[in-house]
Amino acid sequence: MKAYILHEPGGPDKLQLEATDRPKPDKNEVLVKVRALSINPVDTKTREGKSLYDKLKETPPVILGWDISGEVVEVGEEVQYFKPGDEVFGMVNFPGHGKAYAEYVAAPEAHLAHKPANVPHHEAAAATLAALTAWQVLVHEAGIQPGQRVLIHAAAGG
């Protein structure tokens, strides 16, 4: 498979498209053929050598990215929620080594959700970080319970 590999921090020109091994899913992981990905500020900061760079460079190759949308091609033996052919999206392995700037990504089953059929891959990938942030605030901070209603003002952007 091909992936954008970061050999040293810097600008976008430091991302090199190279051949690398296709990941194999562990027993609780799903192998996803990436159809779209999203780039967030943490990607840019990490590429520049800040944020998570020092942690990621400990396990080369450094392949950035966490937000994906794609199709399941293989599942580990303990995966119960997904099967090959399912369309999924999610923020994978964050804050670990997501490796989303690649043709294929192995991700824990718990880091993915079924992509709604009426949402294109590029929109699903772009929604992951913002949606997760909103969910965490509503569920963990505000304690919202099923059946409750919430009015959100000015919810444009991430």
Side-chain angles (χ1 to χ4, degrees), residues 26-143:
D26 285 339
K27 60 186 176 183
N28 67 340
E29 289 185 325
V30 173
L31 183 65
V32 178
K33 180 170 179 55
V34 177
R35 301 288 187 195
L37 61 91
S38 177
I39 299 174
N40 292 298
V42 69
D43 297 65
T44 302
K45 290 174 185 170
T46 302
R47 188 199 69 231
E48 293 171 343
K50 304 170 197 163
S51 192
L52 301 171
Y53 180 76
D54 286 339
K55 180 179 177 182
L56 299 186
K57 74 178 184 181
E58 293 174 5
T59 55
V62 175
I63 302 172
L64 300 178
W66 294 272
D67 296 1
I68 65 162
S69 182
E71 181 181 334
V72 174
V73 294
E74 188 180 340
V75 297
E77 59 200 39
E78 293 182 9
V79 171
Q80 297 179 4
Y81 192 60
F82 300 106
K83 65 185 182 318
D86 286 348
E87 292 187 324
V88 296
F89 73 113
M91 185 176 186
V92 299
N93 299 314
F94 191 81
H97 210 149
K99 300 185 178 184
Y101 291 14
E103 290 181 294
Y104 294 89
V105 172
E109 176 180 29
H111 294 190
L112 298 166
H114 285 101
K115 182 187 77 63
N118 64 336
V119 175
H121 285 289
H122 68 279
E123 290 181 12
T128 57
L129 177 61
L132 180 59
T133 301
W135 182 81
Q136 288 172 329
V137 168
L138 291 170
V139 174
H140 295 292
E141 302 301 321

Side-chain angles (χ1 to χ4, degrees), residues 140-151:
H140 295 292
E141 302 301 321
I144 300 302
Q145 299 296 314
Q148 290 183 307
R149 293 181 178 201
V150 177
L151 174 62

